Amino acid sequence: MIIIYTGNGKGKTSACVGQAIRARGQDFEVLFAQFMKRSAAAGEQRLLSRLLGDAFFCNGKGFYHGRTEEFAAHRASVQETLAWARKRLDLPIQSSSCPGRMLILDEALYALGHGLLEETELRELMKLCREREIHLVLSGRGLPDWLKKEADLVSEIQEIKHPLRSGEKALPGIEF
């Protein structure tokens, strides 16, 4: 199954973390990678690192702002994340009693929208996951039509009100 959390509202990463916890609670093997966030920048990273160990990967350079001089470093980071995911998918499931496997790629749509992740690369990963019956979860803003059609489940998170809009600062445990 391909699951997507998208939209302009806050909560896409939170939905991914919740999906990871739900799957682990059913004894799934969960692989979780973040494309854009820097390591140790957000609270969920501490928990996921403890819960998943080396099945959690965060190698981002921070959010990309479209500057040409930053592209190569961000693209290289995305390539490393893809290589990590492919390698992990090639490993056998660690337990014969494991009911399934899930790969969560947080912020993948953000990377895709900026050209840091190419459509062909994502399609290849989707094909691999489908062939191996691995659930794939993607998140981020800017869901392209082709991916919306390919997905099995799409949830859009819409911002209705946000304290940042009135000048309040981001809070640990809420925003990061």
Side-chain angles (χ1 to χ4, degrees):
M1 179 174 275
I2 297 175
I3 301 168
I4 297 175
Y5 298 111
T6 191
N8 292 327
K10 179 198 169 324
K12 295 174 289 295
T13 294
S14 298
C16 287
V17 172
Q19 191 70 64
I21 291 170
R22 178 172 285 162
R24 285 292 301 132
Q26 293 292 342
D27 296 322
F28 275 61
E29 181 180 343
V30 175
L31 310 169
F32 196 119
Q34 290 184 314
F35 274 100
M36 306 309 296
K37 287 185 183 130
R38 296 178 191 275
S39 182
E44 75 271 2
Q45 295 167 337
R46 293 182 197 146
L47 174 67
L48 289 168
S49 184
R50 287 194 300 260
L51 178 68
L52 302 176
D54 65 354
F56 173 68
F57 187 78
C58 179
N59 187 43
K61 301 291 182 203
F63 284 91
Y64 177 65
H65 302 288
R67 294 186 197 108
T68 306
E69 65 273 11
E70 297 176 346
F71 184 85
H74 282 274
R75 173 79 174 133
S77 176
V78 166
Q79 289 297 300
E80 289 172 22
T81 302
L82 282 174
W84 174 88
R86 287 183 193 116
K87 181 179 177 184
R88 297 296 304 204
L89 292 178
D90 286 340
L91 297 175
I93 291 179
Q94 296 181 7
S95 168
S96 60
S97 64
C98 179
R101 190 181 254 180
M102 180 177 286
L103 171 62
I104 300 172
L105 298 176
D106 189 27
E107 304 156 344
L109 300 184
Y110 186 89
L112 183 68
H114 284 283
L116 302 168
L117 172 63
E118 295 177 2
E119 180 180 332
T120 55
E121 294 167 328
L122 184 54
R123 283 185 184 272
E124 176 188 307
L125 199 58
M126 291 167 55
K127 182 178 182 237
L128 182 63
C129 286
R130 286 214 192 265
E131 288 171 355
R132 297 182 182 181
E133 297 180 346
I134 297 167
H135 300 292
L136 177 61
V137 180
L138 306 169
S139 72
R141 297 174 188 222
L143 175 63
D145 287 337
W146 70 266
L147 185 51
K148 183 177 181 180
K149 289 175 188 169
E150 291 283 328
D152 300 295
L153 188 159
V154 177
S155 291
E156 184 174 9
I157 299 171
Q158 179 182 355
E159 180 182 311
I160 295 173
K161 184 178 182 181
H162 199 297
L164 291 176
R165 303 287 172 249
S166 60
E168 294 185 38
K169 291 183 179 180
L171 297 172
I174 303 296
E175 289 295 320
F176 59 93

